[in-house]
């Protein structure tokens, strides 16, 4: 039909499409009447295949021909992958609640429709608030957190505190800390496993910081890799020790609960926090110098690491020295780690405190050595 379109017009193509739709409809109606319940996957696949054939012969749509061939081939591979993943997708959807689905769809609609319309220019106090940039930061944090959230939903309950903490650190290491500490208080024989979960989640938080910096301002990674990388390595070593000591215990199941990172309320809260921290950091830098910036990082890190990490990475992109930016982020991570150590020790009891407090001290000491090394080689 596409090859004859110039000679006979579009009617042959429309007739062919009508014929395909008619045959597919007859087949589907017959299945319904025969009570052979099934979905629309086969019918949709037939229509998509027809449209791919049309696209492959549509010389006016994509030029040159080599590029059109690549596009059609890529679409064919993607569609094949989706169809072959149907059993896994069905299993995953059974584990996702309707509220999760609604929250995700609403967030994606806002991200696709609203984000491109936001003004991409600075305004407000100190001219550091860029609505489009704030929207991008919210989407970045929600995306990273959603990866962990999906992993947790796919894993399901009963996978073990360590495994859940490992992916839960991408969502919220603070939530993991609170959950593990509460579990240790209720079931003291799981203290070693709870300590493992807390340290693992904090180590993954360090990886999360590196991901955020990589996306926002890649050159800063060369400086930040020293202190944050040292924290990850020491946290990993401590986690291995805790894992060996908890293997002999009873099987562990996790009761950690996380909210969907794509909830619009969560996105608005983080966007507001990011804007406040960004303005505060810029003001501290201008009016109080480097020491003021460090003080702001310690204060912001008490509640959230992401906001101070992203705001500092943005300031580094605008000219802040990378050594100062890396130190600022490290101070925010340090403050947040101390808060989690205090939470775990207070909620989990003495036995958990005797494990978690030394572990965090080792991690922070490793980060301090890495920070000193960064200043030496800068």
């Amino acid at each position: 039909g596409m090859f004859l379109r110039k000679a006979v017009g579009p009617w042959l193509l429309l007739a062919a499409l009508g014929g395909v739709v008619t045959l597919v409809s007859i087949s589907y109606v017959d299945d319904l009447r025969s009570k052979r319940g099934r979905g629309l996957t086969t019918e949709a696949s037939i229509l998509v295949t027809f449209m791919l054939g049309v696209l492959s012969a549509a010389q006016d749509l994509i030029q040159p021909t080599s590029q059109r061939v690549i596009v059609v081939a890529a679409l064919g591979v993607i569609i094949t992958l989706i169809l072959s993943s149907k059993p896994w997708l069905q299993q995953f959807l059974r584990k996702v609640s309707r509220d999760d689905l609604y929250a995700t769809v609403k967030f994606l609609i806002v991200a696709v429709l609203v984000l491109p319309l936001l003004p991409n220019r600075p305004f407000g106090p100190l001219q550091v608030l860029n609505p489009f940039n704030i929207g991008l930061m919210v989407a970045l944090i929600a995306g990273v957190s959603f990866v962990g959230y999906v992993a947790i939903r796919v894993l399901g309950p009963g996978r073990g505190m360590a495994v859940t903490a490992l992916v839960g650190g991408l969502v919220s290491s603070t939530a993991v800390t609170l959950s593990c500490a509460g579990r240790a208080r209720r079931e003291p024989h799981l203290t070693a496993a709870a300590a493992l979960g807390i340290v693992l989640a904090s180590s993954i938080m360090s990886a999360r910081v590196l991901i955020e910096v990589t996306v926002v301002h890649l050159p800063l990674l060369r400086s930040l890799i020293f202190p944050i990388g040292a924290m990850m390595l020491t946290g990993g070593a401590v986690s291995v020790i805790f894992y060996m000591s908890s293997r002999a215990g009873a099987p562990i199941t996790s009761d950690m609960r996380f909210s969907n990172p794509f909830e619009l309320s969560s996105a608005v809260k983080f966007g507001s926090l990011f804007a406040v921290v960004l303005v505060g950091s810029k003001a501290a830098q201008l009016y109080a110098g480097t020491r003021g910036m460090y003080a702001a990082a310690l204060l912001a890190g008490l509640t959230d690491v992401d906001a101070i990490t992203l705001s500092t990475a943005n300031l580094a992109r605008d000219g802040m020295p990378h050594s100062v930016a890396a130190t600022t982020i490290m101070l925010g991570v340090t403050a947040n780690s101390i808060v989690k150590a205090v939470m775990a020790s207070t909620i989990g009891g003495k036995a958990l405190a005797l494990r978690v407090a030394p572990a965090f001290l080792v991690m922070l000491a490793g980060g301090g050595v890495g920070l000193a090394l960064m200043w030496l080689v800068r």
Side-chain angles (χ1 to χ4, degrees), residues 159-182:
R159 292 287 182 170
M161 192 180 295
V163 176
T164 309
L166 189 63
V167 293
L170 285 175
V171 187
S172 172
S173 59
T174 302
V176 173
T177 299
L178 293 173
S179 177
C180 289

Side-chain angles (χ1 to χ4, degrees), residues 222-279:
R222 289 196 295 268
S223 298
L224 193 62
I225 195 66
F226 287 97
I228 298 298
M231 281 195 68
M232 287 181 59
L233 289 176
T234 51
V238 172
S239 297
V240 171
I241 296 173
F242 283 175
Y243 177 72
M244 298 303 294
S245 66
S246 66
R247 289 178 66 184
I252 341 164
T253 56
S254 174
D255 59 354
M256 298 178 195
R257 296 292 182 266
F258 301 93
S259 60
N260 191 327
F262 279 166
E263 287 283 355
L264 288 181
S265 59
S266 300
V268 171
K269 289 177 183 177
F270 177 78
S272 302
L273 177 62
F274 172 71
V276 171
V277 172
L278 184 60
V279 173

